[in-house]
Amino acid sequence: MVSNFENGLERRRFLRDCACGIGTMALAHLMRADGYLAATPDPLGVKPPHFPARAKNVIFLLMDGGPSQIDLFDPKPRLRENDGKPLPESVAKKLQLAFAKSTAPVLGSPREFRSYGRVGMEISDLMPHLATCVDEIAMVRSMHTDSFNHAPGQALLMSGSMIAGRPSLGAWVLYGLGTEGQNLPGFVALSSKSLANGNFGGAANYTSGFLPAVYQGVPFRSSGDPVLYLSNPAGLDRRMQRHDIDAITALNQQHYAAERDAAILARINSYELAFRMQASAPDLLDLSNEPVHVRKMYGIDEEITKPFGTNCLLARRMVERGVRFVLLTHSTWDDHDNLNSNLKKNCQMTDQPVAGLLKDLKQRGLLDQTLVVWGGEFGRTPIVETRGATDPEKIGRDHHPLAYTMWLAGGGIRGGQTIGKTDDFCMSIVEDPVHVHDLQATILHCLGFDHKRLSYRVMGRDFRLTDVAGNVVEKLLA
Amino acid sequence: MLASAARPGLNADWDFVWTQWGSKDINYTVIRLSPERRSPEQRRFLTESFVDMMSFPASKAVYEAQGFKELSAKLKQLKTEFPPLSRAQTVAETAEPRPTYLRVRGNYQENGVAVKPNTPAVLPPLTSAKPADRLTLARWLVSAENPLPARVFVSRVWQELFGRGLVASSENFGVTGDQPTYPELLDWLASEFRDHWSMKGLIRLIVTSAAYRQSSEARPELDAIDPQNSLFARQARLRLNAELIRDRALMAGGLLDSAIGGPSVHPPLPPGALDAALNARDPKQLWPESKGRDLYRRGVYIHQQRRLLYPQLAIFDQPGAAQSCTRRERSNTPLQALSLLNDPTILECARGFATRVVQQPSAAFQDRLNYAFRIALSRLPTEPESKRLHEYFQQRVEMLRQDPEMANRLYPARVLGTEPIDAAAWVGLGRVLMNLDEFITRE
C-alpha cells in the first residue's frame, strides 16, 4: 500500500490511470520529457502514515442526537430502585444540562440486560443482533465531552473543536493517507433518518475546513444523483460524453504544449477520472448482484432496516473499492420525549444492519483493516425530562456529556472488552475516563498516525485534530 | 380610534376597525405612544394603516371625496415599485466598558488577569489619548504611523492579481508568516495606497505595471531558480474563482445578467442538496427558487448560508462562511470535471452559445469557429485546434444524423432558419470549449 513518487510506483499508476482515451501516449511522453509529473504530486495519492498501521479504512457510524447509554449499554439497577425519587444531592450538583431540571426524578430503564460473549458484555434487549458481535467490539462506557448541545458536541466529536469549521476527522484521514480507489471519492458521507429532520452537524461533519478542498467528504445523496452531476445531462449518451472528453483532452494537450503548465495535465487526468467515476459509482450502487444471504444480513429487503442497511452495505462496498473514510450518520437519537418508542424504532432500524456490517466485514477479511466506530455527540441523563408529558411512555432523557458510551471494532482494536466505569447513577465516570480527543488520538493511532504530528500549518501555527489535547487509549489497542 | 377603544359601542364602524386592526398587540403599542415618541417607521406604519382602514368607518362618498381611494392606490403602487424598508443592526459603545479578562487557556469560565484595550507592543501605540474605543481603533488603523493595514491590503490585492501575495501568507504578517519577496515594493505600494486609500487607484497602478502585463507562459529556465514563481518573473495561470466560472459560462451563452446589487438570488439546487445539508423543514422556504432573469445573475449574488454552500460553487473551492478566509484554494478534482460536464446550467449555456453561433451570417465552419473562440476564449483558434474541432464537428454531425431524436433533445429550441442537427452539434462544441482548462483559467 505504501508507495510514493520517489520509487516510481505513483508515476506508473498515474500513467496507467491515464491510459484510456485518445492521445494519452503523447501526453505520457510530454510528462516524461518535462519531468512535470514529479513536480505536481497528487494530493490524493497514497501516502505512508507515521508508523505501520493496523487499519486502512474507517467506517464511522455517527448516531446523531446522543443515544441513551443507560438503555443500551450501561445497565444501572440503582436507577430502577430509585425510580421517581430525586437524585442524591452529591450527584445532582454536578449537573450541567440543556433542558431538564437537576431536581427532576430519576428514571430507571425498563430495558432488560443480558451478558454475551467471552467476557460477558452486557447489552440491552433492544440490540439482540449486536449482542452476537460483542467479541469483536470494545465498549467504552467512560466517554466524556465538553458540550451539552448538539452542534458544538458534534463539531467537537467530528473535528476536535466545538466551533464548527475545523477540518473533519475524515478530511484529516484523507489528508494523511490519500486514497486508493480514485474512481470514487476518498471520503464519503451517507445518512439515514428515523424522523423528518436532518442531522445536527450538517456539512460541518465532512468539511475539509482549512485543509485543501480535495479532502472534503462527498455526500452521497438519497435522492437525485448520488454524487452531484454524476449522470450526463438529459439528452447526452455515454458515447457522446466520451467523444466530447476526447476533444477536450486533445485541445488541452495542444494548449499544454504551448503553455507548459502542469495544472493542465492534472485537469486532463481529472476528466478521465470523472468519466470513470460515472461508470464506477453506479456499479457501486447496484446492489442487485449481492447474494440473498448478504442482503439478509443487512436487512435491505425489510422496510424498517432498508435505509440504514443499504448505507451499511454501501459502506462495505466502498471500503472494498478503496474509499478511505465513510461517515454514516443516523438521525436522530435525541430522545427528550418518547424515549421508549423512539429507541425501539432506532434500534429496529439499525441493530441488524450494524451487526450485518461487522459480520460481513469479518467474513471477507476486511474487519482487520477497517476501523468501525459507533456513537453520538453525548449520552443521556439518568433523570427524566418531561416535555409537558407525564405518561411514562412519553417521557425522555436530556443531554448528558459527562459519562456515556461509544464502541469501536475492527482494525487495531482489541474486541471483547469493556473499558471504563460509571457511578451507580451513570452520572459521572469512576474509572478510565476517555475524552473525545482521546478517542480521536486512538483512531489516528490505529491508522498509523501520531496525532501530535499529523498537522497542517495555517494562520501562523500548526493545527491538529486533537488541538493541544488527547492521549491514545492503550487499553483499546489490540 | 382611541376614543372608540376607550368607549366601545359609540361607533360600530370604529369598533370594528379597532378590533380588526388592533388584533396585534404591537399595533396597540404603537398607537398609544405619544406622537413625538413614535419612530419614523412607526409613523409610516400608522399612516399606511390609517389610509387602509378608512374604507370601513368612512362612507364610500367621503372615502372618495377626501382622496383616500387615490392615496391607497398610490401607496399600493409605491409598494410594488420600491422594496420594503429593511433594518440594519448597529452597535454602540457602553458608557462604562465592562471588565474584560484573559481567559485561561481559552476557557471562558476561567478568568485570568483583567485587561484593557490596547495594541500589540510591536505595533505603534494608540494615537490619541481618547478612550480606547472603536473610533480610536479606526483612526489608529489608518494613521500615518501604522504601516500594517496598508501593507496587508496591497498584498491581498496583489494576491488576487498574481495568484500569490507579496507576502504569501496573506492571513499572517507576523513572525510565523512568510517574508515579503519584495519588501521595498510592498512598502512603496502601501505608501501609495495610504496617500489616497483608493482601491481603484491601487488596482490601476498594479494592472498597468510591466510585472502584471507579462505573459503567463511557463519559462522552463526559471524552474530551477524559482519554481513557485515567488519573484513574479512571469504572470501566473490562475484557475478562476468559483463565482467567475459560472459567470463566464453564462457570458459565453449570452445569458449573463450583469446587474449590480439587490437581494441575493437562489438558482436551482440539484435534487437532494437540501436534505444532505440541513434540517430542511420546508425546502421552499429555505431555498425559494429564483425565476426569470434572476437565474442568470452573477455568482457573487447567490445566497449563502453557513450550513449550505451552493454546490457548484463549493465544488470550485468557494470557502464555507464559518471561518474567515484570506486565500482560496485552487483545487482540481474529478467532481469539478463532472460539474462542468453535467450541470444542466452549463448545458443551457452551451445551447445559448450554439444559438449565438448559428445566427452568424456566414455558414462556413471556420468563420463560425472563429466567432465561437472569440466569445468563449477571447482569441482565435490555432490551426491544429481548428483541424481537431472540425473533425469533432463532422463526427458529431454524423452521430446526430443517426439519432435525430438526440439532436432535438440537445437543442430543443426552434430558431428560425437553423438546422437542428447543425445547432445540436454546436451545442456539443460549446460544451467542449466550456470544459477546456483555458476556459476556467486566467492566463
Side-chain angles (χ1 to χ4, degrees):
Chain A
M1 142 196 168
V2 177
S3 62
N4 53 39
F5 281 95
E6 279 74 40
N7 65 22
L9 279 176
E10 276 301 293
R11 168 195 285 245
R12 227 172 286 144
R13 187 167 66 86
F14 184 87
L15 292 174
R16 186 198 67 215
D17 286 351
C18 276
C20 59
I22 296 172
T24 39
M25 283 323 289
L27 168 65
H29 173 74
L30 283 176
M31 292 196 297
R32 261 199 300 274
D34 297 340
Y36 265 117
L37 204 51
T40 53
D42 174 4
L44 289 169
V46 174
K47 283 163 268 186
H50 297 144
F51 45 83
R54 298 296 305 271
K56 281 168 63 179
N57 316 295
V58 181
I59 298 176
F60 199 114
L61 306 167
L62 176 61
M63 298 298 119
D64 174 282
S68 172
Q69 75 285 12
I70 295 166
D71 298 284
L72 298 174
F73 306 116
D74 198 1
K76 293 294 167 196
R78 276 287 294 282
L79 291 181
R80 253 199 223 184
E81 292 160 22
N82 286 275
D83 189 73
K85 296 178 198 155
L87 277 174
E89 211 172 299
S90 58
V91 177
K93 71 177 178 205
K94 289 179 191 156
L95 277 180
Q96 203 185 21
L97 298 176
F99 301 103
K101 296 182 180 74
S102 61
T103 52
V106 162
L107 177 61
S109 174
R111 309 268 53 104
E112 298 300 333
F113 284 75
R114 274 182 49 207
S115 299
Y116 297 90
R118 290 193 307 266
V119 292
M121 194 184 291
E122 288 160 299
I123 301 278
S124 144
D125 56 0
L126 284 178
M127 291 196 163
H129 292 93
L130 188 73
T132 63
C133 305
V134 292
D135 288 341
E136 307 299 337
I137 70 179
M139 189 74 75
V140 185
R141 282 179 177 166
S142 49
M143 286 299 306
H144 64 111
T145 182
D146 302 337
S147 171
F148 54 80
N149 261 324
H150 298 287
Q154 248 175 52
L156 185 67
L157 177 63
M158 298 315 297
S159 74
S161 163
M162 285 202 277
I163 299 165
R166 292 271 178 88
S168 56
L169 174 60
W172 280 110
V173 171
L174 200 55
Y175 162 69
L177 290 176
T179 184
E180 295 192 338
Q182 291 215 353
N183 291 352
L184 290 169
F187 173 16
V188 173
L190 296 161
S191 63
S192 60
K193 338 173 165 176
S194 57
L195 293 167
N197 53 339
N199 68 68
F200 288 102
N205 288 343
Y206 49 84
T207 181
S208 55
F210 48 66
L211 291 176
V214 290
Y215 303 119
Q216 185 159 328
V218 174
F220 267 47
R221 288 148 209 283
S222 48
S223 53
D225 273 350
V227 176
L228 273 183
Y229 311 122
L230 184 68
S231 41
N232 292 347
L236 207 91
D237 62 20
R238 190 161 168 81
R239 199 166 63 106
M240 284 191 181
Q241 185 86 312
R242 183 70 251 174
H243 187 232
D244 281 1
I245 292 176
D246 285 343
I248 292 162
T249 300
L251 261 73
N252 278 338
Q253 281 172 8
Q254 291 181 7
H255 200 59
Y256 172 73
E259 288 280 338
R260 304 268 148 183
D261 181 357
I264 303 175
L265 300 181
R267 183 71 57 194
I268 293 170
N269 195 37
S270 289
Y271 274 77
E272 290 303 334
L273 287 174
F275 185 69
R276 268 179 285 145
M277 199 184 280
Q278 284 193 282
S280 53
D283 172 64
L284 164 80
L285 299 169
D286 178 13
L287 305 180
S288 60
N289 54 359
E290 289 285 346
V292 176
H293 72 275
V294 173
R295 297 171 70 93
K296 261 207 173 116
M297 289 170 78
Y298 292 88
I300 60 172
D301 298 314
E302 308 285 328
E303 196 179 338
I304 183 88
T305 40
K306 186 180 176 185
F308 191 76
T310 305
N311 284 349
C312 283
L313 180 53
L314 283 176
R316 186 216 86 204
R317 291 168 68 93
M318 286 177 188
V319 163
E320 274 178 329
R321 286 161 172 77
V323 174
R324 187 66 75 189
F325 196 105
V326 185
L327 172 66
L328 208 162
T329 309
H330 181 77
S331 57
T332 174
W333 298 76
D334 189 21
D335 300 327
H336 291 280
D337 47 24
N338 295 307
L339 174 76
N340 283 337
S341 57
N342 287 353
L343 261 188
K344 201 170 159 196
K345 183 173 180 198
N346 280 320
C347 289
Q348 279 175 345
M349 288 179 81
T350 61
D351 180 40
Q352 185 189 339
V354 169
L357 175 66
L358 290 176
K359 286 175 184 166
D360 196 20
L361 286 173
K362 174 136 180 153
Q363 75 184 8
R364 285 160 199 268
L366 287 168
L367 192 58
D368 288 342
Q369 58 186 51
T370 305
L371 177 60
V372 182
V373 185
W374 187 103
E377 61 269 34
F378 37 61
R380 305 208 81 84
T381 53
I383 54 173
V384 70
E385 186 193 343
T386 44
R387 291 212 164 167
T390 45
D391 176 352
E393 279 305 306
K394 295 255 166 82
I395 55 182
R397 302 183 189 274
D398 196 8
H399 308 164
H400 186 14
L402 305 177
Y404 65 102
T405 305
M406 290 181 72
W407 59 255
L408 300 90
I413 296 296
R414 188 152 61 84
Q417 57 163 342
T418 303
I419 287 177
K421 223 168 142 181
T422 52
D423 64 22
D424 288 345
F425 293 89
C426 199
M427 204 58 245
S428 52
I429 296 163
V430 294
E431 207 178 287
D432 292 334
V434 177
H435 187 266
V436 168
H437 284 137
D438 303 330
L439 174 79
Q440 291 160 345
T442 311
I443 292 172
L444 291 182
H445 180 90
C446 291
L447 294 162
F449 290 106
D450 175 353
H451 68 105
K452 292 178 182 162
R453 281 162 59 210
L454 184 66
S455 65
Y456 189 82
R457 175 152 288 210
V458 66
M459 293 180 277
R461 75 166 170 102
D462 291 333
F463 279 81
R464 51 181 235 232
L465 173 63
T466 49
D467 200 10
V468 293
N471 291 300
V472 174
V473 184
E474 299 286 344
K475 281 189 179 176
L476 274 172
L477 304 178
Chain B
M1 206 181 328
L2 281 175
S4 182
R7 293 168 62 196
L10 204 66
N11 178 321
D13 287 328
W14 276 112
D15 283 354
F16 178 75
V17 171
W18 179 242
T19 48
Q20 282 292 304
W21 184 77
S23 59
K24 287 182 190 146
D25 285 349
I26 176 129
N27 296 355
Y28 286 120
T29 317
V30 172
I31 198 166
R32 286 195 163 124
L33 276 177
S34 62
E36 67 273 14
R37 290 188 60 199
R38 289 175 191 148
S39 70
E41 201 182 330
Q42 287 169 332
R43 279 201 295 275
R44 181 186 57 81
F45 172 69
L46 268 186
T47 313
E48 275 180 30
S49 307
F50 182 67
V51 173
D52 251 14
M53 288 294 168
M54 273 309 279
S55 59
F56 293 106
S59 68
K60 200 177 168 196
V62 173
Y63 185 75
E64 283 176 10
Q66 294 193 351
F68 279 108
K69 193 174 179 183
E70 291 93 82
L71 260 178
S72 180
K74 199 171 168 197
L75 268 174
K76 258 193 201 124
Q77 195 202 337
L78 285 173
K79 267 192 194 160
T80 55
E81 278 175 29
F82 295 97
L85 289 177
S86 57
R87 284 160 181 267
Q89 294 276 9
T90 179
V91 283
E93 299 284 349
T94 50
E96 191 64 37
R98 61 171 190 178
T100 305
Y101 303 94
L102 205 69
R103 308 292 178 177
V104 180
R105 290 190 74 113
N107 181 352
Y108 66 94
Q109 290 170 319
E110 204 175 328
N111 286 346
V113 292
V115 289
K116 290 234 154 27
N118 208 334
T119 57
V122 295
L123 297 176
L126 283 178
T127 35
S128 78
K130 282 183 189 153
D133 58 9
R134 293 181 314 122
L135 182 60
T136 308
L137 175 68
R139 292 199 170 119
W140 174 82
L141 278 173
V142 295
S143 65
E145 292 74 39
N146 187 355
L148 195 58
R151 279 183 195 157
V152 170
F153 193 82
V154 299
S155 180
R156 190 81 67 87
V157 170
W158 189 277
Q159 168 188 292
E160 294 308 310
L161 297 170
F162 289 85
R164 179 190 173 95
L166 286 166
V167 173
S169 59
S170 55
E171 75 286 3
N172 180 4
F173 273 56
V175 286
T176 59
D178 294 317
Q179 296 287 315
T181 42
Y182 291 108
E184 300 87 350
L185 175 60
L186 179 66
D187 255 8
W188 180 73
L189 281 171
S191 61
E192 289 289 308
F193 181 55
R194 188 201 51 200
D195 288 347
H196 309 289
W197 299 109
S198 161
M199 295 193 205
K200 199 182 218 175
L202 173 67
I203 293 169
R204 178 181 290 131
L205 183 63
I206 296 176
V207 299
T208 52
S209 69
Y212 179 81
R213 289 179 292 146
Q214 296 176 99
S215 159
S216 60
E217 269 177 35
R219 289 173 58 189
E221 75 275 18
L222 295 175
D223 284 352
I225 312 166
D226 182 16
Q228 301 294 316
N229 194 31
S230 58
L231 298 172
F232 309 106
R234 60 174 172 83
Q235 249 300 3
R237 295 181 82 250
L238 298 178
R239 204 211 66 215
L240 299 180
N241 284 338
E243 295 87 343
L244 295 183
I245 289 174
R246 182 188 142 89
D247 292 355
R248 190 160 189 189
L250 289 171
M251 180 88 141
L255 297 169
L256 185 72
D257 180 349
S258 55
I260 290 172
S264 299
V265 295
H266 299 78
L269 283 170
L274 284 171
D275 59 50
L278 288 153
N279 276 319
R281 290 195 177 84
D282 181 3
K284 282 209 180 87
Q285 195 183 357
L286 204 63
W287 196 266
E289 207 166 279
S290 296
K291 292 187 182 70
R293 296 299 301 160
D294 274 355
L295 293 172
Y296 310 114
R297 294 289 304 281
R298 293 172 54 199
V300 288
Y301 294 118
I302 294 176
H303 175 81
Q304 278 199 49
Q305 61 188 59
R306 272 190 301 186
R307 289 182 57 178
L308 177 67
L309 295 175
Y310 190 64
Q312 199 214 41
L313 301 183
I315 285 172
F316 285 98
D317 307 308
Q318 184 196 48
Q323 298 224 329
S324 63
C325 171
T326 68
R327 291 188 270 181
R328 282 196 185 183
E329 285 296 328
R330 288 194 172 89
S331 72
N332 175 353
T333 64
L335 299 183
Q336 292 173 358
L338 286 176
S339 158
L340 286 177
L341 286 167
N342 299 337
D343 182 348
T345 311
I346 302 289
L347 183 65
E348 196 185 349
C349 293
R351 286 180 182 136
F353 176 88
T355 304
R356 291 176 79 184
V357 173
V358 298
Q359 284 175 336
Q360 284 302 296
S362 166
F365 176 78
Q366 191 61 46
D367 289 342
R368 291 188 165 184
L369 186 69
N370 287 351
Y371 176 74
F373 259 67
R374 283 215 312 278
I375 59 176
L377 302 169
S378 310
R379 67 175 176 89
L380 291 174
T382 64
E383 206 173 305
E385 283 168 340
S386 298
K387 193 162 164 265
R388 181 66 180 79
L389 287 175
H390 188 236
E391 182 190 314
Y392 165 87
F393 191 81
Q394 285 178 323
Q395 287 165 348
R396 177 52 57 96
V397 166
E398 196 45 49
M399 288 162 103
L400 291 167
R401 276 208 186 110
Q402 289 160 16
D403 189 355
E405 195 39 49
M406 184 83 81
N408 286 333
R409 282 206 298 275
L410 282 173
Y411 193 76
R414 283 272 175 272
V415 177
L416 201 67
T418 56
E419 216 265 292
I421 287 180
D422 189 49
W426 278 106
V427 172
L429 205 143
R431 229 167 70 92
V432 168
L433 294 184
M434 287 177 201
N435 275 277
L436 292 181
D437 186 70
E438 187 184 356
F439 187 78
I440 57 168
T441 305
R442 188 220 64 180
E443 297 189 330

